[in-house]
């Protein structure tokens, strides 16, 4: 990608080659632990094309795995000690005994890793301690699943060194997803919904992952938007999912479902004949205005995701783009999880020629995605930077990616 002379230069965050990622963690491992690692594993970050804040409502989402991956070099220990080093850290070794891992007891980034080993042990698997070195080109805190890719890289690595064989098929990978979700919810303390871990462990190279969060079933749909390409805009606005806002959205949805007498809002939607009927019936029963808007987002977003999936299958990217726009508006106005940077990124990308744009992931900062005519990513990125500079905001960074492969 190049920039036009005279235009603002933009930062492109490239994905490492598998070789580069592996070399980095091998070197870090050996320098830290004094012996070569047994092997190297890696797992991707993700962008969700559409279907946001639906996963914990039993809904649908449509992520792709990114070429950007988290790499982990590991060696098994015979005891239960976990010793970790991160290239993103201060060089200190983070250490815990698996016997000491329990909800509320672990602090620091190692919670995401030790939590996975803990959850697998809780599920009855024979998992020992290990030494691990980690490095990642998934931008941290950008809403692109840096934490889920960390969990998934270790999940697949632990699976391998412990000889569990779960990574061999989709059913086993679903078990690894469940362990990662428990690690994140119970040990790291972020009440997230599971889409990110599923994308990282269950995606397929070249395909979008149509994930049904009611029963965990998946369908792989080729992601090849002929004539278009996907531009990811990391707004660099601070992004944190365990600061209470995400959990409060989730609690509102759970409470609404309870009032409606269903386990998930998805079941309420499906019990009606169509979106309009289900929505009107729900709004008739819910009194609180905020709750009504949150529920309206969830029900319409599940419906949009169905429509987007059909548009993807039909190769109708124009419709797909309009659904992305509508998704963003709903997340901005009804779900209230966007921030100024996300709205500006979407608006500027649209003005510069994107046929659809929306925030992706949890929101409250993080990244946006734009579907742009092939070959125009540099021009759109330049325009977005220009809009941020004009607004006095910190410059965003950019990624491009095809639909990449899962943890391996
Ligand atoms: C974050 C969470 C996911 C999902 C999205 C919103 O990425 O980790 O589980 O809820 O937000 O769609």
């Amino acid at each position: 990608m190049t920039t036009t002379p005279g235009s603002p230069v933009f930062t492109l965050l490239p994905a490492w080659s598998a070789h580069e990622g592996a070399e980095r963690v091998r070197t870090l491992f050996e320098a830290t632990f004094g012996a070569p690692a047994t092997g190297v594993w890696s797992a991707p970050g993700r962008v969700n094309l559409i279907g946001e804040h639906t996963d914990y409502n039993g809904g649908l989402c449509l992520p792709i795995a990114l070429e950007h991956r988290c790499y982990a070099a590991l060696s098994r220990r015979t005891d239960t000690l976990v010793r970790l080093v991160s290239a993103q850290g201060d060089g200190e070794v983070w250490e815990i005994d698996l016997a000491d891992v329990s909800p509320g007891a672990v602090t620091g980034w190692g919670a995401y890793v030790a939590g996975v080993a803990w959850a697998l042990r809780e599920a009855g698997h024979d998992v020992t301690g290990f030494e691990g070195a980690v490095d990642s080109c998934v931008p941290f805190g950008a809403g692109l699943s840096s934490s889920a890719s960390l969990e998934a890289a270790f999940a697949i690595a632990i699976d391998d060194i412990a000889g569990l064989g779960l990574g061999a098929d989709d059913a086993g990978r679903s078990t690894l997803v469940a362990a990662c979700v428990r690690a994140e919810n119970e040990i790291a303390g972020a009440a997230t919904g599971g889409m990110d871990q599923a994308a990282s462990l269950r995606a397929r190279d070249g395909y979008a992952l149509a994930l049904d969060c009611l029963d965990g079933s998946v369908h792989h749909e080729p992601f090849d938007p002929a004539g278009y390409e996907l531009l990811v805009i990391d707004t660099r606005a601070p992004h944190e999912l365990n600061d209470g806002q995400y959990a409060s959205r989730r609690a509102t949805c759970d409470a609404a479902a309870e009032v409606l007498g269903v386990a998930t809002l998805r079941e309420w939607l499906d019990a009606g004949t169509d979106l309009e009927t289900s929505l009107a019936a729900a709004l008739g029963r819910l009194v609180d205005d905020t709750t009504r808007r949150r529920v309206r987002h969830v029900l319409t977003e599940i419906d949009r995701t169905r429509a987007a999936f059909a548009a993807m299958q039909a190769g109708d990217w124009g419709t797909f783009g309009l659904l992305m726009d509508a998704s963003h508006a709903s997340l901005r106005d009804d779900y209230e999880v966007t921030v100024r940077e996300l709205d500006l990124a979407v608006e500027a990308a649209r003005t510069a020629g994107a046929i659809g744009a929306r925030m992706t992931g949890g929101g409250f900062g993080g990244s946006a995605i734009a579907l742009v005519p092939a070959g125009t990513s540099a021009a759109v990125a330049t325009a977005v930077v220009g809009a941020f500079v004009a607004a006095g905001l910190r410059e965003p960074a950019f990624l491009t990616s095809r639909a990449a492969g899962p943890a391996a």
Side-chain angles (χ1 to χ4, degrees):
M1 189 183 291
T2 54
T3 52
T4 319
S7 312
V9 173
F10 59 86
T11 306
L12 183 69
L13 305 172
W16 298 335
S17 68
H19 177 75
E20 179 179 358
E23 278 309 303
R24 280 176 178 254
V25 284
R26 276 190 197 288
T27 308
L28 178 62
F29 188 98
E30 223 172 303
T32 308
F33 301 114
T38 301
V40 172
W41 295 262
S42 69
R46 63 95 191 89
V47 290
N48 187 21
L49 299 174
I50 195 161
E52 219 66 85
H53 287 277
T54 53
D55 60 353
Y56 52 83
N57 288 301
L60 308 168
C61 33
L62 196 54
I64 60 166
L66 293 173
E67 292 168 277
H68 299 67
R69 298 175 79 89
C70 175
Y71 291 84
L74 245 78
S75 285
R76 186 171 189 268
R77 294 177 60 96
T78 47
D79 59 14
T80 49
L81 212 55
V82 170
R83 303 186 70 224
L84 303 170
V85 66
S86 165
Q88 276 73 39
D90 52 11
E92 292 282 300
V93 172
W94 186 97
E95 193 170 301
I96 199 161
D97 193 309
L98 286 175
D100 298 331
V101 177
S102 67
V106 192
T107 53
W109 70 274
Y112 292 95
V113 174
V116 173
W118 167 84
L120 286 168
R121 283 161 65 93
E122 287 278 301
H125 298 291
D126 185 13
V127 168
T128 62
F130 48 87
E131 262 129 20
V134 54
D135 201 350
S136 182
C137 63
V138 181
F140 181 72
L144 300 173
S145 291
S146 52
S147 355
S149 62
L150 173 64
E151 292 154 5
F154 276 88
I156 203 76
I158 295 168
D159 177 52
D160 233 355
I161 59 170
L164 308 180
L166 296 167
D169 58 24
D170 190 63
R173 282 174 177 257
S174 301
T175 302
L176 294 178
V177 169
C180 292
V181 173
R182 279 201 76 182
E184 180 141 346
N185 289 174
E186 297 178 47
I187 304 300
T192 54
M195 164 177 71
D196 308 341
Q197 294 79 5
S200 195
L201 280 152
R202 300 176 71 192
R204 193 180 285 173
D205 199 330
Y207 293 78
L209 183 77
L211 176 64
D212 186 329
C213 301
L214 195 57
D215 61 6
S217 63
V218 294
H219 173 90
H220 300 276
E221 187 62 27
F223 179 62
D224 181 18
Y228 299 96
E229 61 198 25
L230 194 67
L231 177 66
V232 183
I233 307 161
D234 169 9
T235 65
R236 288 178 160 172
H239 162 88
E240 274 286 342
L241 285 183
N242 50 6
D243 71 348
Q245 284 287 348
Y246 181 96
S248 108
R249 294 300 182 285
R250 193 170 173 163
T252 301
C253 291
D254 289 349
E258 202 175 325
V259 171
L260 297 173
V262 285
T264 64
L265 292 178
R266 161 73 178 286
E267 286 155 272
W268 177 267
L269 175 66
D270 285 358
T273 46
D274 54 26
L275 171 67
E276 281 68 33
T277 320
S278 297
L279 183 57
L283 298 185
R285 289 226 217 158
L286 300 164
V287 285
D288 173 58
D289 178 58
T290 302
T291 305
R292 288 157 60 92
R293 286 185 295 118
R294 304 290 189 255
V295 169
R296 184 165 61 191
H297 165 72
V298 173
L299 300 186
T300 58
E301 183 76 355
I302 296 172
D303 192 66
R304 273 188 292 275
T305 306
R306 277 202 180 107
F309 180 67
M312 177 182 272
Q313 285 189 308
D316 180 358
W317 297 105
T319 298
F320 196 94
L322 293 175
L323 291 161
M324 290 171 74
D325 291 345
S327 168
H328 185 82
S330 178
L331 288 154
R332 181 191 59 213
D333 302 334
D334 277 350
Y335 219 61
E336 296 181 288
V337 292
T338 69
V339 292
R340 187 176 168 216
E341 288 87 345
L342 285 169
D343 294 337
L344 182 60
V346 162
E347 196 188 296
R350 256 323 222 144
T351 306
I355 60 159
R358 58 182 294 279
M359 58 152 273
T360 189
F364 312 110
S367 294
I369 51 172
L371 196 57
V372 305
T376 68
S377 280
V380 175
T382 303
V384 173
V385 169
F388 271 59
V389 170
L393 294 169
R394 185 177 174 203
E395 281 187 23
F398 299 87
L399 289 70
T400 57
S401 181
R402 48 187 293 283

